[in-house]
């Protein structure tokens, strides 16, 4: 569906119709801005529109994986499971779009190909694949961090006479696995989820694993109506806890040292976390699993022991157990019976470190000099994460500089919101923010509200250009890198977080690890300080408003500590 009128000149163009895009359009429309949303898919949903593969499920609990800005929406929607399935999340987003009549503000089936900033007009010119041109004061990215699939560049892929699919672009129609010989390449979150589904009916499943993954039980159950009623009756208090919690999740983090506990206390606590499932194992049991290497090894050994206890073949178990990086250095997928799958006679595991895929042929895959024949090959190989969605667009800023060049050695962004040299381009959950390591909806909501309030402030003050400062960005990124060194994230040999899983070239960790609540406090303080770190230009003025010196990296730590 397209909008009733198709203006070529608007106040803001928003790219994306997932959680952030829908709320961004709604927020600006409510504030009286002329706003147009552009979405490549045929309908709303964002990543949940495309990731329709069997087994797709959210790893945040349903009661927190939702909008919090509207109490009526929260009260009227009923979740069915502790962890929502992909179809249920998509239904929720469609419901929200209907409830707020948002589709009329969007053009669907519309891919943005380029965007260029006019320094004299202080406006963005946005071009679509259909040749449409739009002019907007503000160019707002809500493209998400996981929206551009990374398909392996395997020789002979076009020769394969069977069917191949990517989990990140799953077809809308059902795919029948029964009686088929199937390969799954990749064992990240998507791979682990779809492997458990395919193994139920395939005649044979071969899993190609490059890097073994720590994975924790999901412990998904139908959502108790009494629990949901209790949540809704205490909604305001719980949401406030969520908004200022470390991960955007409303459970208490561990406050006891694993390393300093007795052996009995360690095992009892870890077993309790394993029984609870989800991220509570990593963050809700002990305080030092994610920050102390000795404590981390204790927890990692516990996970490896669970693999040994479940997988009957010791050789297979050895391949499944990570030993080269700490627990939590990569995102931890959640599962129901992933390890049990490898006890099935119809499932085989191939270690790509010993038998790499060399090519595809008409019958299947060649790996380690052995031909594997398949009817269907599923690539669960992830995404060109974080920077990929924006870099897919040819974005030109001040002085003709390209965003792809500025970000060539890694993303360069102030607060995950703005990049120097690209005025009036603001990003929801951009790099160097907490978006990819926090519960997504609360994080996105915060950025949307920050941007909407910022644009309202600019309009009220007669300001038509906002741009992140180089010095502020340098200091912020220094703080981001400093915080990441307190965690396990930099110790992954390769990761989709920094793109090294695709390029083989590790980069500094590109997300803020100091906690979602702390990040909000930092943003609040900078807004109260007249949007410090940004240069503001008033309409008709060549010179910017007086600019205060950028805060040093040490200042951010002081804000967090309250000093």
């Amino acid at each position: 569906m397209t909008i009733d009128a198709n203006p070529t000149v608007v106040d803001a163009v928003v790219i994306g119709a997932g959680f952030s895009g829908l709320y961004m359009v709604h927020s600006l429309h409510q504030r009286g801005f002329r706003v147009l949303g552009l979405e490549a898919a045929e309908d709303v949903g964002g990543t949940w529109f495309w990731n329709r593969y069997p087994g797709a499920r959210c790893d945040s609990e349903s009661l927190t994986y939702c909008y919090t800005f509207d109490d009526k929406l929260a009260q009227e929607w009923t979740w069915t499971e502790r962890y929502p399935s992909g179809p249920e999340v998509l239904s929720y987003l469609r419901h929200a779009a209907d409830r707020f009549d948002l589709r009329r503000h969007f053009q669907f089936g519309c891919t943005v190909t380029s965007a260029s900033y006019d320094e004299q007009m202080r406006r963005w010119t946005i071009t679509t694949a259909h040749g449409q041109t739009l002019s907007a004061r503000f160019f707002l990215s809500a493209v998400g961090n996981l929206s551009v699939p990374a398909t392996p560049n395997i020789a002979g892929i076009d020769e394969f006479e069977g069917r191949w699919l990517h989990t990140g672009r799953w077809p809308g129609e059902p795919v029948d696995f029964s009686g088929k010989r199937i390969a799954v390449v990749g064992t990240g979150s998507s791979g682990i989820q779809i492997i458990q589904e395919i193994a139920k009916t395939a005649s044979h499943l071969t899993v190609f694993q490059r890097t073994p993954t720590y994975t924790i039980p999901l412990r998904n159950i139908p959502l108790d109506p009494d629990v949901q009623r209790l949540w809704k009756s205490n909604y305001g208090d719980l949401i406030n806890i969520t908004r200022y919690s470390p991960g955007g999740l409303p459970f208490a983090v561990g406050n006891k040292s694993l390393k300093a506990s007795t052996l009995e206390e360690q095992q009892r606590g870890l077993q309790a976390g394993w029984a609870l499932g989800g991220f509570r194992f990593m963050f809700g049991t002990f305080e030092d699993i994610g920050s102390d290497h000795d404590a981390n090894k204790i927890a990692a050994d516990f996970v490896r022991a669970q693999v040994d206890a479940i997988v009957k073949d010791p050789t297979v178990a050895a391949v499944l157990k990570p030993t080269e990086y700490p627990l939590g250095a990569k995102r931890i997928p959640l599962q129901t019976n992933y390890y049990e799958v490898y006890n099935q006679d119809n499932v085989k595991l191939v270690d790509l470190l010993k038998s790499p895929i060399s090519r595809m042929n008409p019958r299947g895959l060649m790996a380690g000099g052995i031909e594997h024949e398949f009817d269907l090959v599923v690539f669960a190989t992830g995404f060109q994460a974080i920077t990929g969605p924006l870099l897919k667009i040819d974005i030109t800023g001040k002085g003709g500089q390209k965003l792809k060049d500025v970000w060539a050695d890694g993303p360069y962004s102030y607060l995950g919101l703005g990049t120097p040299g690209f005025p009036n381009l603001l990003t929801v959950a951009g790099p160097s923010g907490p978006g990819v390591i926090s519960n997504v909806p609360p994080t996105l909501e915060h950025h949307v509200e920050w941007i909407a309030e910022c644009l309202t402030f600019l309009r009220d003050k007669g300001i038509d250009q906002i741009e992140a400062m180089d010095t502020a960005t340098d200091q912020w990124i220094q703080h981001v890198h400093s915080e990441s060194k307190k965690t396990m994230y930099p110790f992954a040999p390769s990761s989709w977080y920094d793109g090294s899983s695709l390029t083989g070239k590790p980069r500094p960790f590109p997300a803020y690890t100091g906690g979602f609540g702390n990040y909000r406090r930092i943003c609040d303080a900078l807004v109260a300080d007249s949007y410090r770190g940004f240069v503001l230009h008033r309409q008709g003025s060549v010179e910017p408003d007086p600019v205060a010196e950028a805060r040093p990296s040490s200042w951010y730590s002081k804000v967090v500590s309250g000093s």
Side-chain angles (χ1 to χ4, degrees):
M1 182 184 298
T2 59
I3 58 173
D4 297 331
N6 185 17
T8 56
V9 178
V10 293
D11 297 319
V13 163
V14 177
I15 306 177
F19 268 102
S20 56
L22 291 175
Y23 187 32
M24 190 79 259
V25 165
H26 174 67
S27 297
L28 292 181
H29 176 68
Q30 291 292 101
R31 287 169 169 79
F33 288 92
R34 294 173 299 163
V35 57
L36 175 65
L38 304 178
E39 169 57 54
E42 290 79 34
D43 197 13
V44 302
T47 190
W48 296 106
F49 178 91
W50 297 109
N51 286 263
R52 299 174 285 199
Y53 59 88
R57 187 173 296 279
C58 181
D59 57 10
S60 291
E61 298 188 34
S62 57
L63 292 174
T64 65
Y65 197 80
C66 52
Y67 290 123
T68 65
F69 69 88
D70 188 271
D71 184 68
K72 291 182 179 179
L73 174 62
Q75 296 297 329
E76 72 189 12
W77 183 262
T78 299
W79 294 101
T80 64
E81 297 179 275
R82 180 185 178 191
Y83 294 93
S85 68
E88 188 167 22
V89 176
L90 187 56
S91 295
Y92 171 78
L93 289 170
R94 287 171 173 166
H95 172 74
D98 290 339
R99 192 183 192 286
F100 299 108
D101 194 18
L102 296 178
R103 287 184 178 85
R104 66 191 175 97
H105 301 296
F106 279 89
Q107 290 182 195
F108 294 100
C110 185
T111 300
V112 175
T113 55
S114 67
S116 179
Y117 188 68
D118 186 321
E119 295 180 54
Q120 289 189 332
M121 298 297 295
R122 295 178 182 171
R123 298 185 68 87
W124 282 92
T125 299
I126 297 109
T127 305
T128 72
H130 298 306
Q132 181 183 12
T133 300
L134 298 164
S135 174
R137 177 72 64 199
F138 299 101
F139 179 37
L140 308 178
S141 169
V143 294
N145 287 295
L146 303 174
S147 57
V148 178
T151 302
N153 184 21
I154 300 177
I157 192 169
D158 294 332
E159 300 173 12
F160 181 50
E161 294 177 354
R163 186 181 188 185
W164 69 264
L165 298 169
H166 193 289
T167 51
R169 284 294 183 271
W170 202 260
E173 70 277 4
V175 178
D176 185 11
F177 302 136
S178 60
K180 291 185 171 64
R181 302 164 300 171
I182 301 175
V184 173
V185 181
T187 55
S189 295
S190 299
I192 285 171
Q193 289 180 339
I194 200 170
I195 284 166
Q196 295 171 82
E197 294 300 313
I198 292 175
K200 295 175 182 177
T201 58
S203 66
H204 195 273
L205 167 63
T206 304
V207 176
F208 292 87
Q209 172 192 279
R210 181 177 64 176
T211 306
T213 307
Y214 294 101
T215 175
I216 306 298
L218 186 70
R219 307 299 185 201
N220 190 37
I221 55 175
L223 196 56
D224 187 335
D226 290 336
V227 171
Q228 193 152 193
R229 280 192 291 270
L230 182 64
W231 173 272
K232 290 181 178 181
S233 66
N234 294 279
Y235 186 71
D237 292 339
L238 289 167
I239 290 308
N240 284 333
I241 293 171
T242 298
R243 287 174 176 168
Y244 285 92
S245 66
L249 297 166
F251 61 77
V253 296
N255 58 8
K256 186 176 182 179
S257 169
L258 175 61
K259 185 170 69 172
S261 298
T262 66
L263 180 60
E264 181 182 354
E265 290 171 335
Q266 291 172 352
Q267 292 302 305
R268 185 169 61 245
L270 293 171
Q271 192 62 56
W274 188 263
L276 279 173
F279 293 126
R280 283 176 170 80
F281 177 84
M282 183 75 182
F283 303 109
T285 52
F286 297 95
E287 65 182 3
D288 50 357
I289 294 177
S291 58
D292 184 276
H293 283 271
D294 292 334
N296 188 276
K297 184 179 184 305
I298 295 169
D301 286 343
F302 178 88
V303 175
R304 287 188 281 262
Q306 308 313 303
V307 179
D308 286 330
I310 295 170
V311 180
K312 296 177 181 177
D313 187 333
T315 304
V316 175
V319 176
L320 289 169
K321 291 185 297 184
T323 58
E324 299 300 318
Y325 63 94
L327 174 67
K330 295 172 176 280
R331 188 174 181 89
I332 302 175
L334 307 181
Q335 48 83 21
T336 298
N337 64 331
Y338 175 65
Y339 292 124
E340 287 84 350
V341 160
Y342 293 97
N343 293 330
Q344 297 179 201
D345 293 336
N346 67 328
V347 178
K348 178 182 179 180
L349 179 64
V350 175
D351 183 356
L352 290 177
L353 296 179
K354 295 181 178 179
S355 302
I357 295 172
S358 56
R359 65 172 292 110
M360 294 182 73
N361 62 27
R363 295 170 297 280
L365 291 167
M366 293 293 296
I370 299 174
E371 183 181 67
H372 301 264
E373 296 187 5
F374 301 111
D375 304 302
L376 171 66
V377 174
V378 175
F379 291 109
T381 46
F383 303 88
Q384 298 174 35
I386 303 180
T387 59
L390 262 185
L391 294 185
K392 192 177 180 182
I393 304 169
D394 182 15
I395 299 176
T396 307
K398 288 168 56 178
Q401 61 184 322
K402 300 285 188 179
L403 186 66
K404 65 180 180 181
D405 295 330
V406 174
W407 285 7
D409 295 324
Y412 184 63
S413 172
Y414 182 48
L415 303 171
L417 287 162
T419 295
F422 296 83
N424 294 356
L425 166 60
L426 297 173
T427 54
V428 180
S432 84
V436 292
I437 59 169
S438 299
N439 184 22
V440 171
T443 311
L444 299 180
E445 274 192 325
H446 171 246
H447 265 192
V448 167
E449 290 163 1
W450 190 98
I451 291 172
E453 291 167 6
C454 175
L455 267 56
T456 302
F457 169 85
L458 299 180
R459 180 182 61 188
D460 293 347
K461 297 295 184 181
I463 297 168
D464 63 3
Q465 180 173 289
I466 181 171
E467 180 185 357
M469 297 167 55
D470 281 301
T471 51
T473 305
D474 290 340
Q475 293 299 312
W476 170 248
I477 289 179
Q478 184 177 330
H479 175 65
V480 169
H481 293 170
S482 175
E483 288 297 307
S484 73
K485 292 175 182 177
K486 301 174 184 178
T487 74
M488 297 296 137
Y489 290 114
F491 297 93
S494 67
S495 171
W496 64 259
Y497 285 124
D498 62 9
S500 59
S501 59
L502 300 178
T503 65
K505 300 176 181 179
R507 293 170 173 165
F509 194 72
Y512 182 64
T513 60
F516 174 50
N518 290 337
Y519 174 81
R520 287 185 67 116
R521 294 181 184 95
I522 288 169
C523 289
D524 291 346
L526 292 169
V527 169
D529 198 9
S530 301
Y531 291 91
R532 192 156 182 153
F534 291 92
V535 178
L536 308 179
H537 277 83
R538 294 185 183 272
Q539 296 172 5
S541 174
V542 176
E543 296 299 321
D545 278 10
V547 179
E549 185 177 341
R551 294 292 189 183
S553 60
S554 58
W555 176 84
Y556 299 106
S557 299
K558 292 180 181 178
V559 172
V560 169
S561 65
S563 60

